[in-house]
Amino acid sequence: MSGAATILLVDDHAIVREGYRALLQQQPRLKVVAEASDGAEAYRLFKQVKPDLVIMDLTMPGFGGLEAIKRIRQWDPAARILVFTMHQNAAFAVQAIRAGAKGYVTKSSPPEALVRAAFDILQGKIALSADIDHELALSRVTETPVATDVLTPREFEILRLLLAEKSTEAIAAILGLSPKTVANTRYLIKAKLGVASDIALVLVALRQGILGAEGERDEIAPL
Amino acid sequence: MSGAATILLVDDHAIVREGYRALLQQQPRLKVVAEASDGAEAYRLFKQVKPDLVIMDLTMPGFGGLEAIKRIRQWDPAARILVFTMHQNAAFAVQAIRAGAKGYVTKSSPPEALVRAAFDILQGKIALSADIDHELALSRVTETPVATDVLTPREFEILRLLLAEKSTEAIAAILGLSPKTVANTRYLIKAKLGVASDIALVLVALRQGILGAEGERDEIAPL
DNA sequence: GCGCCTGCCGGGCAAATTGCCCGATTTTTG
DNA sequence: CAAAAATCGGGCAATTTGCCCGGCAGGCGC
């Protein structure tokens, strides 16, 4: 870190990247040296340019931010990654930090927050923006556990299929289980997440980031 | 429009506004003269500065973009509003245009698209970014009607309550109806939207923008 | 006025699903 | 190894769903 710190910028919106770059370039000690628009490209570029810091969004097409964080950290356990996203959501932050991110700043933060977080991380600190600090604190007191903590892998799997609009029977067929087992598990999931209806289930899943963080969208009709 | 066209920029993320302003200021014929961070502020500022063009995001805290568009257009039917949002979603675009927007550009578009759309609108044209063009075309052929078109007001009301995690019985109580009626209506809604499960219902509603466009989020614990 | 259509309200009833119990394996963990 | 947790699935009452029905009110054309 002799001269300026090198930065890899990852966001799927070119326009958005443009803005951040302008913002960051105002800092003489920061230098954006590469940009990527999805997780795969981010991983590839990271290995190539070895930036001092990665600033990236979570929600991207293809394989998303979380996956990219994990892969990058696997390749270089010392990688410093700052998540910069619109999601003011404790669950996302927890997942990101666990995946190996060193910071989480929301786009609602004042512009300085991003710059400050960048410097903090470069100095080895963990950086969270104020709103996420608050969300995390709240999630502590209200004790809404992140789904991945409370659900077993199998339950998680079934939940994912449910959110893909699969019926209980379809899931049974896919996993080679009795429909009864799936129905039971489905009940268990709802109990664990503390919801009563299917509708609440989807909404909770949304907030928890099970759905929505990655590109879930069922494929567009091929025409 | 003798000198540069005046622009009001509306987006809840200060950082994001920063970026767009930089982008727009590169055009000598465009001048950002005001910024707002939510619908109410946008409306207030519009009346005050009377910009030639409003560029705004849809999803914002407080009263959202759609509502702001309607109010601004009500106050000045000649107002030119360009929606600039991340939602690559035909239903959103339809609603925005119907509310009175003159253009709809997604943030995934190349940076030039925004500038071009701005000029197009200033010349009285309707501007849609290429991806939305495509989404709208698709939604035509696949004929997935916007929910507001196919649902009766009552049905819409019940759908909204369902999405607020109310049970069938709770809704019956709220609206003073028989639970049976609500159940029947619920069935009708699903039939009209062509979905089989509650889960699919929520997901479709999401895509249609019934939920999600405006800030739906149940209030944060007051502490 | 008289049909006619559409939206709204709700009964009825078979079929399916949910909610919640249970026990039997297998794996994980201390 | 012993305890705990996870996975799988049966059973069964209670509820809900899916789909039929008829009745009533309001708007619209004639």
Side-chain angles (χ1 to χ4, degrees):
Chain A
M1 231 187 298
S2 49
T6 56
I7 294 178
L8 166 60
L9 214 53
V10 189
D11 193 302
D12 55 332
H13 300 318
I15 303 187
V16 173
R17 287 202 307 271
E18 188 109 353
Y20 304 154
R21 196 177 45 219
L23 191 73
L24 293 166
Q25 301 289 36
Q26 291 170 8
Q27 296 293 328
R29 310 224 21 190
L30 301 179
K31 184 166 177 52
V32 176
V33 294
E35 296 185 16
S37 62
D38 63 56
E41 198 183 350
Y43 179 54
R44 202 159 32 71
L45 275 176
F46 183 89
K47 292 195 289 186
Q48 191 183 314
V49 307
K50 302 188 183 68
D52 298 316
L53 178 66
V54 181
I55 295 181
M56 80 161 131
D57 197 356
L58 280 184
T59 75
M60 287 180 298
F63 79 92
L66 276 182
E67 190 57 30
I69 293 173
K70 285 182 200 154
R71 296 210 194 175
I72 290 176
R73 293 275 310 188
Q74 196 169 357
W75 190 79
D76 173 9
R80 298 176 197 280
I81 303 171
L82 169 57
V83 171
F84 184 50
T85 179
M86 59 172 294
H87 297 287
Q88 189 178 330
N89 181 315
F92 278 27
V94 169
Q95 288 180 257
I97 301 291
R98 288 205 187 143
K102 291 298 183 195
Y104 191 103
V105 175
T106 66
K107 290 184 181 172
S108 342
S109 310
E112 315 86 66
L114 177 63
V115 174
R116 171 193 255 275
F119 284 121
D120 280 351
I121 290 178
L122 286 170
Q123 283 167 26
K125 296 184 195 161
I126 295 274
L128 301 173
S129 61
D131 48 357
I132 279 299
D133 249 14
H134 183 237
E135 283 280 330
L136 284 172
L138 264 187
S139 76
R140 268 294 179 211
V141 292
T142 57
E143 203 61 45
T144 313
V146 178
T148 50
D149 286 343
V150 54
L151 297 183
T152 69
R154 202 61 200 238
E155 287 163 349
F156 202 78
E157 169 91 20
I158 289 182
L159 176 53
R160 274 228 330 262
L161 289 169
L162 279 173
L163 295 178
E165 298 185 35
K166 304 295 182 193
S167 71
T168 297
E169 274 192 71
I171 295 175
I174 291 171
L175 299 180
L177 299 176
S178 148
K180 186 64 209 187
T181 300
V182 177
N184 273 334
T185 308
R186 188 172 173 164
Y187 164 69
L188 254 184
I189 292 171
K190 291 210 250 176
K192 284 191 177 176
L193 295 184
V195 300
S197 66
D198 280 356
I199 290 176
L201 179 66
V202 180
L203 298 181
V204 167
L206 260 181
R207 289 196 268 267
Q208 296 270 338
I210 291 153
L211 197 163
E214 314 296 317
E216 208 72 42
R217 193 111 181 221
D218 50 355
E219 67 248 276
I220 306 279
L223 265 195
Chain B
M1 231 190 295
S2 51
T6 57
I7 294 179
L8 166 60
L9 213 54
V10 189
D11 193 302
D12 55 332
H13 301 317
I15 302 188
V16 173
R17 287 202 307 271
E18 189 105 356
Y20 304 154
R21 196 177 45 218
L23 191 73
L24 293 167
Q25 301 289 37
Q26 293 170 7
Q27 297 293 327
R29 310 226 19 193
L30 300 180
K31 183 167 177 53
V32 175
V33 294
E35 297 185 15
S37 61
D38 63 55
E41 197 182 350
Y43 180 54
R44 201 158 31 73
L45 275 175
F46 183 88
K47 291 195 291 187
Q48 191 183 314
V49 308
K50 302 187 184 65
D52 298 315
L53 177 67
V54 181
I55 296 181
M56 80 160 134
D57 198 355
L58 279 184
T59 73
M60 286 180 297
F63 78 92
L66 276 181
E67 189 57 29
I69 293 173
K70 286 182 201 155
R71 297 210 193 176
I72 289 176
R73 293 275 308 187
Q74 196 168 354
W75 189 80
D76 173 10
R80 299 176 196 279
I81 303 172
L82 168 59
V83 171
F84 183 51
T85 178
M86 60 172 293
H87 297 288
Q88 189 178 331
N89 182 315
F92 279 26
V94 170
Q95 288 180 257
I97 301 293
R98 289 204 187 146
K102 291 297 182 196
Y104 191 103
V105 175
T106 66
K107 290 184 181 173
S108 341
S109 311
E112 315 85 66
L114 178 64
V115 175
R116 170 192 254 277
F119 284 121
D120 280 352
I121 290 178
L122 286 170
Q123 283 168 26
K125 295 183 195 162
I126 296 274
L128 301 174
S129 60
D131 48 357
I132 280 299
D133 250 14
H134 183 238
E135 284 281 328
L136 284 173
L138 264 186
S139 77
R140 266 295 178 213
V141 292
T142 57
E143 203 61 44
T144 313
V146 178
T148 50
D149 287 342
V150 54
L151 297 184
T152 69
R154 201 58 195 234
E155 287 163 348
F156 202 77
E157 168 91 17
I158 289 181
L159 175 54
R160 272 231 330 264
L161 288 169
L162 279 173
L163 296 179
E165 298 187 35
K166 304 294 182 194
S167 71
T168 297
E169 273 191 71
I171 295 175
I174 292 171
L175 299 180
L177 299 177
S178 147
K180 186 64 208 187
T181 300
V182 177
N184 274 334
T185 308
R186 189 173 172 163
Y187 164 68
L188 253 186
I189 293 171
K190 291 209 251 175
K192 283 191 179 176
L193 296 184
V195 301
S197 66
D198 280 356
I199 290 176
L201 179 66
V202 180
L203 297 181
V204 167
L206 260 180
R207 288 196 268 268
Q208 295 270 338
I210 291 153
L211 195 163
E214 313 295 315
E216 207 70 43
R217 194 115 181 219
D218 49 358
E219 67 249 275
I220 307 276
L223 265 197

